[in-house]
Amino acid sequence: MSITVSFTLNGEPVSAEVDNHTLLVEMIRDQLGRTGTHIGCDTSQCGACVIHVDGRSVKSCTMLAVQAEGADVGTIEGVALNGKLHPMQEAFREYHGLQCGFCTPGMIMSALDLVQQNPDPSEQEIRQWLVGNLCRCTGYQNIVRAVRAGAQAMRS
Amino acid sequence: MYEFQYHRPASIDEAKKILADNDEAIILAGGMTMLPTMKLRLARPSDLVDLSAIDSLRGIRKDGKTIEIGAMTPHADVAGSSVVQSEIPALADLAGMIGDAQVRNRGTIGGSLSNSDPAADYPAAVLGLNAVIKTDTREIAADDFFKDLFETALGPNEIIQAVRFPKPKRAAYAKFPNPASRYAVVGVMIAETTDGIRAAVTGAGPCAFRATEIEAALAKDFSATALDGLTFDAGDLNDDLHASPEYRAHLVIVMAKRAVAAASV
Ligand SMILES: Cc1cc2nc3c(=O)[nH]c(=O)nc-3n(C[C@H](O)[C@H](O)[C@H](O)COP(=O)(O)OP(=O)(O)OC[C@H]3O[C@@H](n4cnc5c(N)ncnc54)[C@H](O)[C@@H]3O)c2cc1C
Ligand code: FES
Ligand code: FES
């Protein structure tokens, strides 16, 4: 059965006709055309699909589109400001926190949630926070460095 | 996923009515178990009853010497609650060890307990801290709640509303997580309560259970060394690709010692 779902996406009101069983990530990618949010595992493990819903990071492959009705949704497309990379994005570039880039949108959305709760996370805290974000390329070292540098840039 | 009808009732009564009118209706809380199960087509509900719009089910309240946590409260709220951190730090710690940040942002205490996954963390807290589970019809003591693998004392369509935790004198939780999923291979909650010592084990058996031999040893002497030489019977413990029954039996004692040491500082 199809139903209209409306929410705010990166500050803009959006709506689309979806099925009850349409996943939020499918609505965002296939219907709203924002393909920065990736689907890696589709089993709640990898974090490639992490977005923000009402200010908190969630796995959008494990949420129904209908559950986002009326919510404030944020994706990677909303992170840069006026064409300028966000300090966290800039830090990933600067510190080579990505190789193929598939995990990166999820990493950044997850890291931004960490920094809003803990503006100065230690290396250990960053590693613990990112257990739900898998990267097949980098070996994580530079991701952790990037998040530390991004957090520092956001503080200053 | 198979097709289903979706409902987001604004009250418990409305939720009960939808559940009563539809035989195959199922409650949806955080969806962290339900949605993956439906994706695998292991569940085929006719209707999903999403409890997220029922405000009374969410939140943490202190009431004298107990803390009451609404069924729809996500793990992250329990882990981050200053009230829980100061009154029952072991409970805040346990909630902060569940899965990953995104799972903690969506997964709820009510969903975790109803599901009674053998490797879930909250069952050890509820059993170890001697909590009471409040449903829409009754109160269930922790000792009567967990029945078997994915089986609890909840009746059909019974809704957990809140969980009430009495403040222990001291308590701590130690967990050996599966490195991939973070679920407990073995987790042990040790608590000194007003009614004595309780030791609750999760991950090791079909559902959470109390380890009476550990409780007896700690009642004589509340120290990690009191468990030296104690062995745990591997007989009924889980055997899967993550650990053998013998290894789990060993971990029960090791985690119990770590929890006692942490509760003692
Ligand atoms: C990647 C991943 C890692 C995880 N790691 C851990 C871990 O380390 N430790 C751990 O303990 N858990 C872990 N979990 C499970 C998670 O913490 C959730 O607690 C769990 O999925 C259930 O909560 P939920 O709110 O998501 O419930 P749902 O999935 O929505 O529901 C689960 C079941 O409970 C029923 N139900 C829900 N609420 C109620 C209610 N109020 N009354 C009656 N019945 C109800 C539903 O009908 C359903 O049958 C993990 C999950 C994932 C996806
Ligand atoms: S695609 Fe959502 S966690 Fe992997
Ligand atoms: S950069 Fe390739 S998966 Fe992380």
Side-chain angles (χ1 to χ4, degrees), chain A residues 44-45, chain B residues 26-34 51 71 75 98-99 103 107-108 110-112 114-115 120-121 154 158-160 175 181-183:
Chain A
S44 335
Q45 310 285 332
Chain B
I26 284 188
I27 292 170
L28 179 68
M32 290 292 113
T33 294
M34 206 54 233
L51 301 183
H75 312 325
I98 297 175
V103 168
T108 68
S112 176
S114 318
N115 199 42
D121 295 295
L154 291 173
E158 194 169 356
I159 301 178
I160 298 183
K175 161 176 173 178
S181 75
R182 319 307 293 170
Y183 273 103

Side-chain angles (χ1 to χ4, degrees), chain B:
Chain B
M1 271 189 227
Y2 296 110
E3 300 249 331
F4 55 83
Q5 300 293 319
Y6 173 83
H7 312 263
R8 186 150 52 165
S11 71
I12 302 263
D13 287 346
E14 209 184 310
K16 290 295 278 188
K17 181 155 182 346
I18 303 165
L19 289 166
D21 289 349
N22 300 283
D23 269 2
E24 304 288 322
I26 284 188
I27 292 170
L28 179 68
M32 290 292 113
T33 294
M34 206 54 233
L35 296 176
T37 309
M38 288 170 63
K39 283 185 185 180
L40 293 170
R41 302 200 168 192
L42 295 173
R44 187 178 197 164
S46 61
D47 298 73
L48 276 188
V49 185
D50 181 349
L51 301 183
S52 65
I54 308 176
D55 292 342
S56 62
L57 291 179
R58 195 167 168 146
I60 299 169
R61 266 195 313 278
K62 181 170 180 244
D63 182 11
K65 285 215 167 302
T66 63
I67 301 265
E68 188 171 293
I69 300 178
M72 287 297 286
T73 310
H75 312 325
D77 287 13
V78 176
S81 155
S82 53
V83 174
V84 182
Q85 283 169 3
S86 71
E87 297 295 310
I88 317 182
L91 181 59
D93 290 348
L94 175 143
M97 289 183 211
I98 297 175
D100 56 54
Q102 290 74 35
V103 168
R104 293 194 293 275
N105 278 340
R106 297 287 302 167
T108 68
I109 188 168
S112 176
L113 295 176
S114 318
N115 199 42
S116 185
D117 188 300
D121 295 295
Y122 266 128
V126 164
L127 204 52
L129 297 168
N130 199 13
V132 173
I133 289 137
K134 278 176 56 175
T135 75
D136 57 308
T137 53
R138 59 185 169 142
E139 303 206 331
I140 309 173
D143 283 326
D144 302 326
F145 188 78
F146 302 102
K147 296 295 186 195
D148 206 342
L149 194 69
F150 299 109
E151 201 181 314
T152 68
L154 291 173
N157 301 346
E158 194 169 356
I159 301 178
I160 298 183
Q161 293 196 322
V163 188
R164 215 166 49 223
F165 291 92
K167 179 179 171 151
K169 291 182 183 157
R170 51 182 166 170
Y173 180 66
K175 161 176 173 178
F176 190 87
N178 177 308
S181 75
R182 319 307 293 170
Y183 273 103
V185 177
V186 168
V188 180
M189 172 68 85
I190 300 282
E192 185 183 349
T193 72
T194 45
D195 306 321
I197 305 289
R198 295 174 71 97
V201 179
T202 192
C207 62
F209 62 87
R210 286 172 65 188
T212 44
E213 44 285 74
I214 293 176
E215 292 178 356
L218 294 176
K220 286 197 209 111
D221 171 15
F222 193 89
S223 73
T225 49
L227 304 180
D228 281 345
L230 194 68
T231 52
F232 198 83
D233 183 11
D236 298 327
L237 299 190
N238 300 337
D239 188 3
D240 56 29
L241 77 160
H242 309 302
S244 66
E246 292 73 23
Y247 185 45
R248 282 194 162 88
H250 174 73
L251 284 177
V252 169
I253 301 294
V254 176
M255 292 303 118
K257 284 184 172 181
R258 287 188 190 169
V260 173
S264 305
V265 289

Side-chain angles (χ1 to χ4, degrees), chain A residues 32-85:
Chain A
L32 302 174
R34 310 298 205 283
T35 53
T37 304
H38 294 161
I39 304 176
C41 64
D42 198 20
T43 58
S44 335
Q45 310 285 332
C46 75
C49 65
V50 171
I51 62 169
H52 292 184
V53 173
D54 293 330
R56 294 178 169 211
S57 58
V58 305
K59 292 176 174 169
S60 60
C61 74
T62 314
M63 211 175 139
L64 300 169
V66 286
Q67 289 178 287
E69 174 65 38
D72 180 13
V73 177
T75 64
I76 190 71
E77 288 88 351
V79 172
L81 264 184
N82 304 327
K84 196 165 173 284
L85 291 181

